[in-house]
Short mmCIF file of all heavy atoms in Angstrom, two decimals:
data_model
loop_
_atom_site.label_atom_id
_atom_site.label_comp_id
_atom_site.label_asym_id
_atom_site.label_seq_id
_atom_site.Cartn_x
_atom_site.Cartn_y
_atom_site.Cartn_z
N ILE A 32 -22.71 -5.83 12.80
CA ILE A 32 -21.48 -6.31 13.45
C ILE A 32 -21.82 -6.91 14.81
O ILE A 32 -21.39 -8.01 15.15
CB ILE A 32 -20.45 -5.16 13.57
CG1 ILE A 32 -19.94 -4.79 12.18
CG2 ILE A 32 -19.30 -5.55 14.49
CD1 ILE A 32 -19.20 -3.45 12.10
N TYR A 34 -24.66 -8.12 15.79
CA TYR A 34 -25.43 -9.34 15.58
C TYR A 34 -24.52 -10.52 15.21
O TYR A 34 -24.57 -11.59 15.81
CB TYR A 34 -26.49 -9.09 14.49
CG TYR A 34 -27.17 -10.35 14.04
CD1 TYR A 34 -28.17 -10.94 14.81
CD2 TYR A 34 -26.79 -10.97 12.84
CE1 TYR A 34 -28.78 -12.12 14.40
CE2 TYR A 34 -27.40 -12.15 12.43
CZ TYR A 34 -28.38 -12.73 13.21
OH TYR A 34 -28.97 -13.88 12.82
N LYS A 37 -22.24 -11.57 17.93
CA LYS A 37 -22.96 -11.86 19.18
C LYS A 37 -22.33 -11.10 20.35
O LYS A 37 -22.00 -11.66 21.40
CB LYS A 37 -22.95 -13.37 19.48
CG LYS A 37 -23.59 -14.24 18.41
CD LYS A 37 -23.73 -15.66 18.91
CE LYS A 37 -24.12 -16.65 17.83
NZ LYS A 37 -25.34 -16.38 17.09
N GLU A 60 -20.14 1.81 22.50
CA GLU A 60 -21.28 2.51 23.11
C GLU A 60 -22.53 1.64 23.11
O GLU A 60 -23.26 1.57 24.07
CB GLU A 60 -21.58 3.80 22.35
CG GLU A 60 -20.71 4.94 22.84
CD GLU A 60 -21.14 6.28 22.27
OE1 GLU A 60 -21.94 6.32 21.30
OE2 GLU A 60 -20.64 7.29 22.78
N PRO A 64 -18.97 -3.83 25.53
CA PRO A 64 -18.09 -4.95 25.89
C PRO A 64 -17.22 -4.56 27.09
O PRO A 64 -17.04 -3.36 27.36
CB PRO A 64 -17.23 -5.14 24.63
CG PRO A 64 -17.27 -3.83 23.93
CD PRO A 64 -18.61 -3.23 24.24
N GLU A 73 -1.48 2.82 11.16
CA GLU A 73 -1.14 4.12 10.59
C GLU A 73 -1.32 5.21 11.66
O GLU A 73 -2.44 5.48 12.11
CB GLU A 73 -2.02 4.40 9.36
CG GLU A 73 -1.87 5.75 8.75
CD GLU A 73 -0.42 6.16 8.51
OE1 GLU A 73 0.28 5.45 7.78
OE2 GLU A 73 0.02 7.18 9.09
N THR A 84 -12.51 7.99 24.74
CA THR A 84 -12.02 7.50 26.03
C THR A 84 -12.64 6.15 26.41
O THR A 84 -12.17 5.50 27.33
CB THR A 84 -12.34 8.52 27.14
OG1 THR A 84 -13.73 8.85 27.02
CG2 THR A 84 -11.50 9.78 26.99
N LEU A 100 -0.94 -9.67 23.37
CA LEU A 100 -2.01 -9.21 24.26
C LEU A 100 -1.95 -10.00 25.56
O LEU A 100 -1.83 -11.22 25.55
CB LEU A 100 -3.36 -9.44 23.55
CG LEU A 100 -4.59 -8.81 24.18
CD1 LEU A 100 -4.44 -7.30 24.24
CD2 LEU A 100 -5.83 -9.16 23.38
N TYR A 102 -4.27 -10.36 27.95
CA TYR A 102 -5.45 -11.17 28.23
C TYR A 102 -5.88 -11.86 26.96
O TYR A 102 -5.58 -11.41 25.87
CB TYR A 102 -6.65 -10.32 28.65
CG TYR A 102 -6.32 -9.03 29.28
CD1 TYR A 102 -6.16 -7.87 28.52
CD2 TYR A 102 -6.17 -8.96 30.66
CE1 TYR A 102 -5.85 -6.68 29.13
CE2 TYR A 102 -5.86 -7.76 31.26
CZ TYR A 102 -5.70 -6.63 30.50
OH TYR A 102 -5.40 -5.45 31.10
N LYS A 103 -6.71 -12.91 27.12
CA LYS A 103 -7.31 -13.52 25.94
C LYS A 103 -8.44 -12.61 25.48
O LYS A 103 -9.08 -11.94 26.29
CB LYS A 103 -7.87 -14.89 26.30
CG LYS A 103 -6.77 -15.92 26.45
CD LYS A 103 -7.09 -17.17 25.69
CE LYS A 103 -5.86 -18.04 25.62
NZ LYS A 103 -5.92 -19.07 24.63
N VAL A 112 -10.73 -4.07 5.93
CA VAL A 112 -9.27 -4.03 6.08
C VAL A 112 -8.59 -5.32 5.60
O VAL A 112 -7.41 -5.31 5.26
CB VAL A 112 -8.87 -3.74 7.56
CG1 VAL A 112 -9.36 -4.82 8.49
CG2 VAL A 112 -7.37 -3.58 7.72
N ILE A 116 -4.15 -6.94 4.46
CA ILE A 116 -3.30 -7.78 5.33
C ILE A 116 -2.69 -8.95 4.55
O ILE A 116 -3.39 -9.73 3.93
CB ILE A 116 -4.10 -8.29 6.55
CG1 ILE A 116 -4.63 -7.07 7.34
CG2 ILE A 116 -3.23 -9.18 7.44
CD1 ILE A 116 -5.33 -7.40 8.62
N ASN A 120 -2.77 -16.71 6.17
CA ASN A 120 -2.75 -18.02 6.81
C ASN A 120 -2.10 -17.97 8.19
O ASN A 120 -2.59 -18.57 9.14
CB ASN A 120 -2.06 -19.05 5.92
CG ASN A 120 -3.12 -19.82 5.13
OD1 ASN A 120 -4.07 -20.33 5.71
ND2 ASN A 120 -2.97 -19.85 3.82
N ASN A 132 -11.77 -20.14 23.44
CA ASN A 132 -12.69 -21.13 22.87
C ASN A 132 -14.05 -20.46 22.73
O ASN A 132 -14.42 -19.64 23.59
CB ASN A 132 -12.82 -22.35 23.76
CG ASN A 132 -11.58 -23.21 23.65
OD1 ASN A 132 -10.87 -23.16 22.63
ND2 ASN A 132 -11.29 -23.96 24.68
N ARG A 135 -15.03 -15.49 18.34
CA ARG A 135 -15.51 -15.26 16.97
C ARG A 135 -14.68 -14.23 16.22
O ARG A 135 -14.28 -13.22 16.81
CB ARG A 135 -16.96 -14.73 16.99
CG ARG A 135 -17.95 -15.78 17.31
CD ARG A 135 -19.38 -15.29 17.28
NE ARG A 135 -20.23 -16.45 17.50
CZ ARG A 135 -20.76 -17.18 16.53
NH1 ARG A 135 -20.61 -16.84 15.27
NH2 ARG A 135 -21.48 -18.24 16.82
N PRO A 142 -17.38 -7.94 -2.22
CA PRO A 142 -17.03 -8.93 -3.24
C PRO A 142 -16.02 -8.34 -4.23
O PRO A 142 -15.89 -7.11 -4.32
CB PRO A 142 -18.37 -9.20 -3.94
CG PRO A 142 -19.18 -7.97 -3.70
CD PRO A 142 -18.74 -7.39 -2.40
N PRO A 148 -20.87 2.63 -8.59
CA PRO A 148 -20.68 3.23 -9.92
C PRO A 148 -19.28 3.86 -10.04
O PRO A 148 -19.08 5.02 -9.72
CB PRO A 148 -21.79 4.30 -9.99
CG PRO A 148 -22.20 4.55 -8.59
CD PRO A 148 -21.83 3.37 -7.76
N PHE A 185 -26.75 -2.65 1.62
CA PHE A 185 -27.35 -1.39 2.06
C PHE A 185 -27.30 -0.47 0.84
O PHE A 185 -26.24 -0.28 0.25
CB PHE A 185 -26.56 -0.79 3.22
CG PHE A 185 -27.18 0.45 3.79
CD1 PHE A 185 -27.97 0.38 4.92
CD2 PHE A 185 -26.99 1.70 3.19
CE1 PHE A 185 -28.57 1.52 5.47
CE2 PHE A 185 -27.57 2.84 3.73
CZ PHE A 185 -28.36 2.75 4.87
N LYS A 192 -23.12 14.97 -7.65
CA LYS A 192 -21.97 15.79 -7.29
C LYS A 192 -21.23 15.25 -6.06
O LYS A 192 -20.00 15.21 -6.00
CB LYS A 192 -22.46 17.22 -7.00
CG LYS A 192 -21.45 18.27 -7.31
CD LYS A 192 -22.05 19.64 -7.18
CE LYS A 192 -20.94 20.58 -6.75
NZ LYS A 192 -21.45 21.81 -6.22
N ASN A 196 -17.45 13.97 -5.99
CA ASN A 196 -16.48 14.57 -5.08
C ASN A 196 -15.75 13.51 -4.26
O ASN A 196 -14.55 13.63 -4.00
CB ASN A 196 -17.16 15.56 -4.12
CG ASN A 196 -17.37 16.90 -4.82
OD1 ASN A 196 -16.71 17.19 -5.82
ND2 ASN A 196 -18.29 17.69 -4.32
N ASN A 226 -25.62 9.00 -16.47
CA ASN A 226 -26.42 10.16 -16.84
C ASN A 226 -27.67 10.35 -15.97
O ASN A 226 -28.80 10.27 -16.45
CB ASN A 226 -26.81 10.04 -18.34
CG ASN A 226 -27.36 11.35 -18.85
OD1 ASN A 226 -27.14 12.40 -18.22
ND2 ASN A 226 -28.09 11.31 -19.95
#
Side-chain angles (χ1 to χ4, degrees):
I32 291 165
Y34 170 78
K37 300 189 190 303
E60 275 190 347
E73 174 48 59
T84 50
L100 191 60
Y102 333 90
K103 284 228 168 196
V112 61
I116 301 185
N120 264 309
N132 285 335
R135 285 183 175 266
F185 185 97
K192 209 172 150 197
N196 279 340
N226 193 19

